[in-house]
Amino acid sequence: MNSTSSLQRNHTIDQMERQSFDLIVIGGGITGAGIALDAASRGMKVGLIEKEDFASGTSSRSTKLIHGGLRYLKQFEIALVREVGRERAIVHELAPHLVLAEKMLLPLVEGGTFGKLATSFGLKVYDFLAGVEGDDQRVMLNKPETMQKEPLLKEEGLLGSGFYAEYRTDDARLTIELIKMAAQKQALSLNYVEATSFLYDDDQKVIGVRCRDLEGQRDFDMTSAYIVSAAGPWVDNLRKKDNSFEGKRLFLSKGVHLVVSRKRFPINHSVYFDVSDGRMIFAIPRQEITYIGTTDTPYDGDINHVLTNSEDETYLLNAVNEMFPDIHLRSEDVISSWAGLRPLIYEEGKSASEMSRKDEIFESDTGLISIAGGKLTGYRKMAQRIVDLVAERFEKTQGRSFQECHTDAIAFGGGPFQGSAGVNSYLEALKMKIRESQLPEFYASYLVYNYGRQSDAILQKMAQYSDAPEIALARAEVWFGVENELILRPLDFFSRRSGRLYFNIETISTVLDAVLDDLSDCFDWSVQKRQEEKELVQQHLHEAAHFEYSKT
């Protein structure tokens, strides 16, 4: 497996160092990637850097839903619900293979968070604000109808339910495809490049970023007319580097999700249900697994290393066992987990779950622009607000004008598809190829929902390997990721490009050595480097499956 990726990376760094940008984006999560695409598609020269891998922070650790935030109606955040509700439909249309229609069941229970009349009205308003039409509009179900939809629910105290439309996604894959689309519009993006400090002119206005390539251990400078920090939980850290940390600040809330086998928790639909402390939890079926989350607790630990702990696990398992009393989930049923941080805007006197999910823009006296808060669903509008701001500044200061935002018409890589019907048609055709390759059939949906039509290139490459089918597939995916998605390390593949660390964790041990061998050949690793990468994967396997490992 040979690649020119290392040479291409050095060439990209040379380009970043040589040219002056219109906009530098710090942070390769969903917000930064969205900003890069929006700006580049309008004609700006854009450079983006990310100190770890793309989507390695919050943008690979959400509940993985493109949803409107029903509970925000209770907080009277009407504008937020309207905006993100409508954004769901746009992103689904742009990437129906990545943003999948998912019916959500909202059980109504005695003394619960949502009353029957209020829920009926709220869901109707929700549909109206989001522009939901036809079969996707909410339906109110009585108790027998609810039990028919989901027989595992607790009957005692059940009053009925609301049945409404949401969308499931893979947040990391969404981010990666945005980065790739931005590259097609001439944006230069690199992972594993840290912003170590800022560069200033004589008036102490920020004009650039001093960078450190963490792979090649090379320092270089990037210069730009404007710089935006979209660094998520690290936004305040960068404001401190800019000596502009004052006024509003971030409040970090930890969210945890647990993964169990679908056989152990075989729900028919996604369920959004009450917990005894007044909070709400999602249980979401996904191919061979069901995942449960999220918690919402204040966090003041190491933001570079966020882990699930026993309290998180106990809370979520108790919540499931209370609402689904015949399931009896135990610690040993947890096969994987993930924990991430929400960078909320601090509000005095409010708990983590009460704080607004609205995004806010901060601008320092130096000119550094920062954006924080917000929701996965609203990434496109967050990007638009930033790029509108930058475009307005260019117009005033230089008389330069740029196009209006048109990211609502830029289809994602892996398409295009004619809606969900087009995705399903492609999926059925791919199932035939999967059978011929002797892979288990679930790999058809795994490939389509990760890669869309790019699955064809992966399967063609897979046919060139003589390994067992699952190993050959992983090698083909790694080849595709190195050539097209800036994979540098095994965890880039296992976590952010394929989701195996969370959704197919048991396959990693089978394919690990082959993946390490291919990456070692590709990047000319030393024996020591290969061993270090293997140990890092094993550490993350241990942490993801923390409870299982700690009990054996």
Side-chain angles (χ1 to χ4, degrees):
M1 179 177 177
N2 296 313
S3 174
T4 58
S5 294
S6 294
L7 292 174
Q8 289 173 345
R9 181 178 176 85
N10 288 330
H11 177 64
T12 300
I13 292 174
D14 289 341
Q15 288 181 285
M16 287 179 156
E17 193 169 29
R18 273 198 311 267
Q19 68 176 271
S20 184
F21 293 94
D22 296 320
L23 179 65
I24 290 174
V25 182
I26 304 173
I30 191 74
T31 306
I35 292 168
L37 174 61
D38 191 331
S41 67
R42 299 197 206 187
M44 294 183 190
K45 289 183 179 179
V46 179
L48 180 148
I49 57 172
E50 161 59 48
K51 74 180 182 70
E52 294 293 333
D53 185 29
F54 304 118
S56 57
T58 301
S59 296
S60 59
R61 298 162 188 265
S62 72
T63 307
K64 305 183 188 296
L65 290 174
I66 296 290
H67 69 116
L70 176 63
R71 70 186 181 86
Y72 306 133
L73 276 180
K74 295 193 71 174
Q75 299 169 354
F76 300 103
E77 297 194 49
I78 304 299
L80 177 63
V81 174
R82 179 190 292 113
E83 179 175 288
V84 296
R86 292 178 177 175
E87 283 299 299
R88 295 181 317 169
I90 292 172
V91 183
H92 171 63
E93 186 176 339
L94 296 176
H97 64 292
L98 272 177
V99 181
L100 311 172
E102 183 85 12
K103 284 289 192 177
M104 188 76 66
L105 190 70
L106 174 63
L108 306 175
V109 297
E110 292 178 358
T113 304
F114 293 93
K116 202 166 188 178
L117 288 176
T119 299
S120 178
F121 176 73
L123 286 175
K124 192 174 184 68
V125 172
Y126 189 62
D127 283 349
F128 172 75
L129 292 174
V132 177
E133 299 177 347
D135 292 341
D136 280 342
Q137 289 186 325
R138 71 98 172 95
V139 177
M140 298 305 297
L141 306 176
N142 60 29
K143 181 175 179 177
E145 290 169 333
T146 301
M147 292 303 299
Q148 186 175 18
K149 287 283 185 188
E150 192 46 73
L152 294 175
L153 282 169
K154 180 181 179 181
E155 280 196 72
E156 183 183 350
L158 182 67
L159 304 174
S161 65
F163 196 52
Y164 64 105
E166 292 287 17
Y167 295 92
R168 175 169 58 82
T169 191
D170 185 308
D171 46 7
R173 284 299 319 175
L174 208 61
T175 303
I176 296 302
E177 293 298 345
L178 287 170
I179 292 287
K180 290 160 65 177
M181 290 154 58
Q184 291 175 14
K185 306 294 183 183
Q186 308 309 310
L188 296 178
S189 301
L190 274 184
N191 46 359
Y192 299 105
V193 173
E194 183 177 6
T196 56
S197 61
F198 292 102
L199 309 175
Y200 302 90
D201 64 12
D202 292 340
D203 297 323
Q204 287 305 297
K205 297 296 183 183
V206 65
I207 58 169
V209 182
R210 181 145 291 158
C211 305
R212 176 74 167 170
D213 171 24
L214 301 177
E215 279 296 292
Q217 301 303 307
R218 168 183 173 183
D219 295 310
F220 65 99
D221 293 342
M222 296 172 66
T223 58
S224 179
Y226 296 96
I227 299 172
V228 170
S229 167
W234 292 268
V235 156
D236 282 352
N237 289 10
L238 286 170
R239 293 169 73 202
K240 289 173 184 176
K241 287 184 180 182
D242 183 52
N243 295 315
S244 59
F245 181 53
E246 57 187 8
K248 289 191 176 182
R249 60 183 174 86
L250 297 187
F251 177 91
L252 301 182
S253 171
K254 185 172 81 163
V256 167
H257 296 79
L258 305 181
V259 178
V260 299
S261 167
R262 184 85 176 268
K263 293 177 181 177
R264 278 292 290 118
F265 191 12
I267 49 177
N268 297 326
H269 301 280
S270 293
V271 183
Y272 185 37
F273 62 94
D274 276 275
V275 184
S276 57
D277 64 3
R279 294 206 58 247
M280 302 288 291
I281 296 293
F282 289 102
I284 301 173
R286 183 187 179 105
Q287 297 172 42
E288 304 297 294
I289 61 94
T290 299
Y291 65 94
I292 308 142
T294 179
T295 58
D296 204 350
T297 54
Y299 185 80
D300 60 1
D302 182 358
I303 63 176
N304 295 301
H305 199 206
V306 186
L307 298 175
T308 303
N309 60 37
S310 58
E311 290 81 9
D312 301 322
E313 181 206 40
T314 299
Y315 176 82
L316 290 173
L317 292 182
N318 286 345
V320 170
N321 289 332
E322 182 179 347
M323 182 55 72
F324 302 89
D326 294 332
I327 292 298
H328 306 298
L329 287 181
R330 297 178 296 178
S331 181
E332 51 264 38
D333 294 315
V334 178
I335 57 178
S336 186
S337 68
W338 68 87
L341 299 177
R342 302 177 194 86
L344 307 178
I345 310 301
Y346 179 73
E347 296 177 83
E348 188 73 40
K350 289 192 175 183
S351 69
S353 60
E354 291 172 330
M355 288 187 194
S356 173
R357 267 53 177 175
K358 287 180 182 177
D359 58 280
E360 291 205 28
I361 296 172
F362 309 89
E363 189 166 6
S364 74
D365 291 340
T366 67
L368 176 66
I369 302 168
S370 302
I371 184 166
K375 290 166 55 62
L376 173 66
T377 310
Y379 81 86
R380 202 186 63 83
K381 298 301 286 187
M382 292 168 65
Q384 182 180 347
R385 282 189 276 275
I386 285 287
V387 182
D388 282 349
L389 173 65
V390 172
E392 183 181 321
R393 298 286 167 81
F394 270 114
E395 181 73 37
K396 286 183 177 179
T397 61
Q398 299 182 25
R400 292 178 63 191
S401 60
F402 295 95
Q403 301 175 44
E404 296 294 315
C405 175
H406 56 278
T407 52
D408 59 348
I410 302 176
F412 277 62
F417 289 101
Q418 294 300 311
S420 298
V423 175
N424 291 335
S425 177
Y426 179 74
L427 176 60
E428 289 304 313
L430 201 73
K431 284 180 180 178
M432 296 292 293
K433 296 179 182 179
I434 290 295
R435 293 189 195 105
E436 291 170 4
S437 70
Q438 299 182 317
L439 283 165
E441 189 170 291
F442 80 85
Y443 275 112
S445 54
Y446 162 81
L447 285 169
V448 173
Y449 299 151
N450 275 334
Y451 303 104
R453 294 188 188 277
Q454 298 165 135
S455 304
D456 289 331
I458 292 170
L459 288 176
Q460 288 171 10
K461 186 67 176 180
M462 174 187 168
Q464 299 176 21
Y465 297 116
S466 59
D467 308 87
E470 293 197 69
I471 294 175
L473 174 64
R475 293 186 67 190
E477 287 181 84
V478 169
W479 163 81
F480 180 83
V482 169
E483 295 296 324
N484 300 281
E485 299 183 345
L486 293 173
I487 284 180
L488 282 180
R489 300 175 181 177
L491 278 168
D492 301 345
F493 168 62
F494 288 127
S495 180
R496 272 83 59 181
R497 305 304 185 280
S498 70
R500 285 173 183 254
L501 185 64
Y502 307 133
F503 305 127
N504 297 289
I505 193 170
E506 70 283 351
T507 68
I508 294 179
S509 61
T510 302
V511 305
L512 177 56
D513 282 332
V515 167
L516 287 166
D517 287 344
D518 281 352
L519 289 176
S520 183
D521 290 344
C522 181
F523 296 112
D524 195 25
W525 287 346
S526 66
V527 173
Q528 179 181 351
K529 169 69 171 173
R530 184 189 186 283
Q531 181 61 27
E532 288 172 353
E533 292 294 340
K534 183 171 186 176
E535 290 173 358
L536 192 60
V537 172
Q538 290 171 333
Q539 175 191 333
H540 278 74
L541 281 171
H542 175 86
E543 290 172 355
H546 173 72
F547 306 104
E548 180 183 1
Y549 275 76
S550 66
K551 290 173 174 58
T552 56

